[in-house]
Structure formats: C-alpha cells, structure tokens
Amino acid sequence: MTDSTQDILPSFRRVVLFPESVLVLNTNANITKVDKQTLEMFGWENEQEFIGKSFSDLIVDQDKENVQNEFQKILLNKNIYGLQCNVKRKDESVLRISLNASVFTDSQGAPQEIVVVIHDITPHLSELEQVREAQKQLSEAQQIANFGSWEWDMTSNKFRWTDEMYRLFSLAPQSEVNNDSLVAYVLEEDREKVKNFLNQSIADGEAVIDYRFVDPQNGSIRWFHSRSKTFYDTNHKALRMVGTVHDVTREKELDQVKTQFLSMASHQMRGPLTTINWHAEMLLNSQSEGLTDTQKKYIQELYNASKRTVRLTNDILTVSELELGRMPFKPEKLSLPKVAKRVLEDYERKIAEQKINLKEVYSENLPDIVTDLFLLKTIFSELISNAISYTPPEGTITLTISVDPTHTNTFLIAIADTGYGIPKAEHDKIFSKMYRATNAKVKVMSGTGLGLYIIKLILQLNGGEIGFTSEENKGTTFNITIPFVPKAVPTIPLRS
C-alpha cells in the first residue's frame, strides 16, 4: 500500500465494520499512533503513556511468542487476519482480542507502518464459556442420571450423540455413529423391536420403547428406556429426529424384586382367603335358617369382601408370574366359543342382577386355537368382568368371535358394551398397571386396575394384540387379535 497513514485512523473507521480500536506500529512493532478507543480499551489516560511501547508488551506471556511470530511474517505476507490473543490492560486485567493488521509501504514498496484493528471479543468469549459450562453441566447431569440424548439430521443423515450416549453404548467418544449403532448390541430378541421403534417415530411423530442391551465389554445385560420425537417440514417430510436413552437397569431390578415379593405374598395369602371365603359361603348356604337378619347381613358382607380380596390376590399373582416369566404355558387345542361360554357361566348371576342384555355372536366353522386354557379363560374373564362392571343396568354387551379378515390364521375377539366409556385424554394410559379411568373410579368403587394389563401380558405370550375404541358415556369396544397357534413362547421375563 502506498497510502499515507496521516489520516489512517478516520479512514479505517469508515471502512472497518464496528472497529473497537485502531493503532499504528512501525516496522519494529512499536506503537506510533493510537485512537481514543484504544486508550479506553486498554485503560490508559493519554496517548503519550501508550506511544513508544512495543506491541509485544501488551500481550500476555503465554501468547507472546505466537503473536511475535505472526508479526515477523507480516512484512512478507502484508496482512494478518483474525489473530486471537489475550492482552493486558494498564490495571493488569486481561482482555481477549481479535486483530487484523495490514502493512503500508512507500512509493518504492518498502514497508513503512503497520495498521492494526483490534476487536474486543471478551464479552463473546464469556458467552461462549457460559455455553461450554452449560454443556459441561448437562454432560455431568446426564452421566449421573445414566441419561443420554441423540439427534439425527435425516436430510444429511448426520448423527450427534452426547457424551453419555457413547458411554451407555460402550463406544469411543466422538466416534462415527448411525442408526446401526443403536441396534448393534441390542439383545437379539429385542432387535426387531428397536428397528420398529425408529419406523414408528417416523410414521407417528414419536415412539417409546424398553429394550435390552448387551455390553460388548463385559457381556452384561442392561435395560434401556428410549423415547423419540420426529420433526417434519410443511409437506410432512421427516427432517429431524431427536431421542433419549435412559439406563433403567436398576429400576427393572427393583421392579423384579417387588414382583417376586408380591408373588410370594399372594401365594401365602391365597390359602387363608380361600378358607374365609369357603366358610362364609357355607354359613350363608347351610346355616342361614339359624341366623338373624343382622347376622346374615354381616356374613354376606364378609363373603363379598373375601371374594373381592381373593380376586385381587389372584390378579396380583397372575401379574407377578407373567412378569417374572414363570407362568406355565401348556398349549392344547381349544374351542374359543366353548371356553367363552364356560366363563360366561360364572357371570350369569351378575348379568341377571343388572338386567344386562348379553349377545353372543360366533362365526361358524371356527378352527380350534392352540393355547393355554388358564390364560385363555383369564382373557375372557377379564374382558367380561370389565364390560359388566362398567356397563350400567339394562345396558348391552356383545361378544363376537370370528376369523380376522385382515390377518392370516388369526382370530378376532371383540367385546362391545354400552357403558361409561373411557375419556379420550386417558386412552394412552388404559393398559398401564393399576390404572383405572377417572370416570370408572367414580361410577364403580371396586376394581384392581390390573385386568387390561394382564390381558396385554398374556397376549404377548400368544403373539396377540389388543386395541380399543371408546367414547365417553357411549361405550367401549375391545378388539383382540390372536393367532391360531402361538408364534413363540418367551423364556425371558416380560416387561411392558
């Protein structure tokens, strides 16, 4: 450059976007000119205190060598762009700056002066440090909670995992990952379920899953709970998916201990409760002539209470045995209509008392099903009991058994009622353990909240599924699909 630096400070202020300060150095990097902003930035009162100093004297020791090397090159390269370093103010406080520098030459091209534009980036650095600190705290929190998160940019097919994700999956930090990384060490029985989890998230916008992971380092099996959410463009094209992975092994282990305790307690309770129930029934049937009305009332209440308690105990025992994978499964050929009719006989009295209109619709020439009799009876019992309990007097219950037209070698069992229905906001909770709809609690005081959960677990043993449609105050229809022959009998504990 051959321009004079006589008016260099104001001219630079016009062409440089938002300059913090401008100063001029001679070819030995000593300061010859400064502007007001430079004095304010460095905390000096007048330019005479500043002029004559070596620019190197302003640099902190650890950055000094690097800056000196860059300024030695500037006489050849003519420019420096975006050099960052720490500098000292008059009071010894430190600023982080970014500087650009250019060499001005005489008419023969000999270097005369160096103009330096300095930008104070300390505030921006502080913001960056805050972000880094927040990221550090998030990473520490995720590690404490065994909770990792990930993001999949579906447009570029790029993945981003947090540090805890790499630790959970026993992978080297920042190594290359993709969807296969999520599945690579999943227990074989759960692998297809994880793939379906990703597909469901793309189709429905979100998904939830529990699955088991085999640690490649020590072979231990851990339980992961994962959630995902998908984001779309205006044409509903999937753009991005985010998800979380939570190591819930400890929770699963505690849950199994509780289930084992409930199983043991239920076994121990069932004997005495059955005895109480039997003696109360004997008193009502054979000794009623010698009892006063008050005594009959008390014994009837005792009998009813013991029946409810026996039912609850049996439900808890069934749940615990299913969850622990200890429920015997003895498949045999059975007629669905015959088993249904046998179960309905147990509810004839209750149906008559409530004046319920029961309709049975069975397709002709239905093949036999190959499954466990106790489990099949349990499905029908829970379905029928629920329908009776949540249908007001003189309502209608329709039980239908047919071949599913949409699936090969599969039955369709439907039970429809004209009962209280299920509030729409609670549809996603209805198969949860111990859950009862809010309107059901008001209408019917008794109930364990285990019936539908039991059905769901049993259907997992049979390879079947359950769904429903419901409208509050109009009724509910539960639809069960179950194969003619069970697909497989799991040998591992079931979890929902």
Side-chain angles (χ1 to χ4, degrees):
M1 294 184 186
T2 58
D3 302 293
S4 169
T5 59
Q6 183 67 32
D7 297 318
I8 195 66
L9 301 189
S11 65
F12 256 72
R13 195 164 295 114
R14 284 193 301 271
V15 299
V16 178
L17 185 61
F18 305 125
E20 292 291 339
S21 69
V22 179
L23 53 83
V24 180
L25 313 178
N26 60 22
T27 54
N28 294 319
N30 294 322
I31 300 170
T32 60
K33 298 182 180 70
V34 296
D35 66 355
K36 183 178 180 181
Q37 283 82 355
T38 302
L39 296 176
E40 292 177 353
M41 180 182 296
F42 285 85
W44 296 88
E45 296 177 2
N46 59 73
E47 61 181 22
Q48 296 307 316
E49 294 179 292
F50 216 58
I51 290 175
K53 287 183 173 294
S54 170
F55 185 72
S56 178
D57 292 339
L58 303 177
I59 312 301
V60 299
D61 292 341
Q62 57 266 36
D63 291 347
K64 189 168 294 188
E65 182 177 355
N66 181 52
V67 173
Q68 288 174 338
N69 290 338
E70 290 298 321
F71 270 86
Q72 287 173 2
K73 298 176 186 176
I74 195 173
L75 298 180
L76 293 175
N77 299 334
K78 305 300 182 183
N79 295 288
I80 296 175
Y81 296 110
L83 175 63
Q84 292 188 15
C85 61
N86 292 327
V87 295
K88 296 176 288 186
R89 303 178 78 245
K90 184 177 181 180
D91 61 5
E92 298 298 319
S93 62
V94 176
L95 298 177
R96 182 72 173 177
I97 66 167
S98 173
L99 64 85
N100 298 319
S102 296
V103 173
F104 279 69
T105 60
D106 60 18
S107 56
Q108 281 75 43
Q112 294 294 305
E113 293 178 312
I114 304 168
V115 176
V116 181
V117 179
I118 299 175
H119 182 64
D120 182 2
I121 62 171
T122 307
H124 305 293
L125 183 66
S126 176
E127 292 172 3
L128 181 60
E129 288 174 345
Q130 290 176 21
V131 171
R132 288 174 177 167
E133 180 62 25
Q135 290 175 334
K136 178 184 176 184
Q137 292 176 4
L138 174 62
S139 178
E140 291 172 348
Q142 287 194 347
Q143 185 172 359
I144 293 170
N146 296 318
F147 190 98
S149 56
W150 52 271
E151 179 179 0
W152 175 20
D153 185 334
M154 302 168 78
T155 304
S156 63
N157 201 33
K158 298 292 184 181
F159 292 80
R160 187 179 68 83
W161 283 18
T162 60
D163 292 342
E164 183 61 11
M165 278 290 293
Y166 287 99
R167 194 192 70 79
L168 286 173
F169 283 80
S170 298
L171 295 175
Q174 307 308 314
S175 58
E176 191 72 24
V177 291
N178 52 39
N179 278 340
D180 291 338
S181 307
L182 288 171
V183 183
Y185 295 103
V186 171
L187 196 69
E188 183 66 33
E189 292 93 333
D190 293 351
R191 197 163 292 173
E192 192 65 27
K193 190 164 66 170
V194 174
K195 293 178 181 178
N196 292 337
F197 161 78
L198 295 171
N199 292 332
Q200 182 187 349
S201 184
I202 294 173
D204 301 339
E206 56 186 13
V208 181
I209 189 178
D210 281 9
Y211 61 96
R212 286 155 298 170
F213 173 82
V214 183
D215 194 314
Q217 295 183 353
N218 54 32
S220 63
I221 296 178
R222 286 182 279 145
W223 276 97
F224 287 165
H225 175 79
S226 293
R227 291 178 175 271
S228 66
K229 185 175 180 63
T230 303
F231 298 88
Y232 308 89
D233 63 14
T234 54
N235 296 319
H236 202 69
K237 177 185 176 183
L239 297 178
R240 186 168 64 95
M241 187 186 298
V242 297
T244 59
V245 175
H246 186 199
D247 187 338
V248 293
T249 307
R250 177 62 175 164
E251 290 84 346
K252 291 289 186 181
E253 290 172 348
L254 290 173
D255 187 51
Q256 187 168 33
V257 170
K258 289 187 290 184
T259 301
Q260 290 170 337
F261 170 77
L262 287 174
S263 177
M264 179 191 67
S266 300
H267 270 295
Q268 296 298 320
M269 290 170 60
R270 190 160 61 171
L273 286 169
T274 302
T275 301
I276 294 171
N277 194 37
W278 184 76
H279 282 296
E281 188 175 6
M282 288 291 293
L283 282 170
L284 286 172
N285 293 337
S286 61
Q287 304 294 328
S288 59
E289 293 181 2
L291 299 174
T292 66
D293 290 343
T294 301
Q295 289 171 331
K296 289 180 182 178
K297 177 185 175 183
Y298 289 153
I299 295 173
Q300 184 66 54
E301 290 178 355
L302 173 65
Y303 176 66
N304 292 339
S306 67
K307 280 184 66 177
R308 288 195 299 270
T309 308
V310 168
R311 174 70 185 273
L312 173 61
T313 304
N314 287 337
D315 281 352
I316 292 174
L317 182 59
T318 300
V319 167
S320 60
E321 294 296 289
L322 285 167
E323 288 187 335
L324 291 169
R326 298 197 309 219
M327 178 62 73
F329 191 93
K330 300 176 181 178
E332 57 181 299
K333 283 189 174 183
L334 299 165
S335 166
L336 281 177
K338 287 182 179 179
V339 175
K341 286 180 177 293
R342 199 183 312 175
V343 174
L344 281 169
E345 289 174 0
D346 297 333
Y347 293 93
E348 283 180 351
R349 182 177 176 182
K350 196 169 183 180
I351 290 171
E353 287 176 352
Q354 293 187 210
K355 298 180 180 179
I356 288 175
N357 178 25
L358 176 65
K359 297 180 181 180
E360 299 173 66
V361 182
Y362 307 128
S363 296
E364 295 182 358
N365 302 319
L366 286 172
D368 287 337
I369 186 171
V370 180
T371 190
D372 183 274
L373 176 59
F374 171 76
L375 296 178
L376 184 59
K377 288 177 66 177
T378 301
I379 289 175
F380 279 118
S381 181
E382 297 293 353
L383 283 174
I384 294 166
S385 175
N386 260 13
I388 294 172
S389 296
Y390 302 120
T391 299
E394 301 183 3
T396 299
I397 295 174
T398 304
L399 175 62
T400 305
I401 301 177
S402 60
V403 174
D404 186 356
T406 62
H407 296 85
T408 305
N409 298 328
T410 302
F411 293 106
L412 177 62
I413 303 171
I415 185 162
D417 63 57
T418 56
Y420 307 120
I422 303 166
K424 188 174 182 179
E426 301 178 38
H427 282 194
D428 61 337
K429 304 174 185 176
I430 206 66
F431 294 108
S432 302
K433 190 195 301 186
M434 305 296 287
Y435 185 82
R436 296 183 69 212
T438 51
N439 60 339
K441 294 177 183 177
V442 174
K443 303 285 187 180
V444 182
M445 298 304 294
S446 62
T448 65
L450 291 172
L452 294 174
Y453 181 70
I454 288 172
I455 293 173
K456 183 180 177 182
L457 292 183
I458 292 174
L459 288 172
Q460 289 180 19
L461 279 174
N462 286 271
E465 295 180 352
I466 182 171
F468 71 96
T469 57
S470 183
E471 188 173 349
E472 198 168 0
N473 299 319
K474 289 190 177 182
T476 302
T477 299
F478 284 98
N479 296 296
I480 287 176
T481 56
I482 185 169
F484 293 171
V485 179
K487 296 179 181 177
V489 180
T491 58
I492 44 90
L494 293 170
R495 288 290 182 265
S496 67

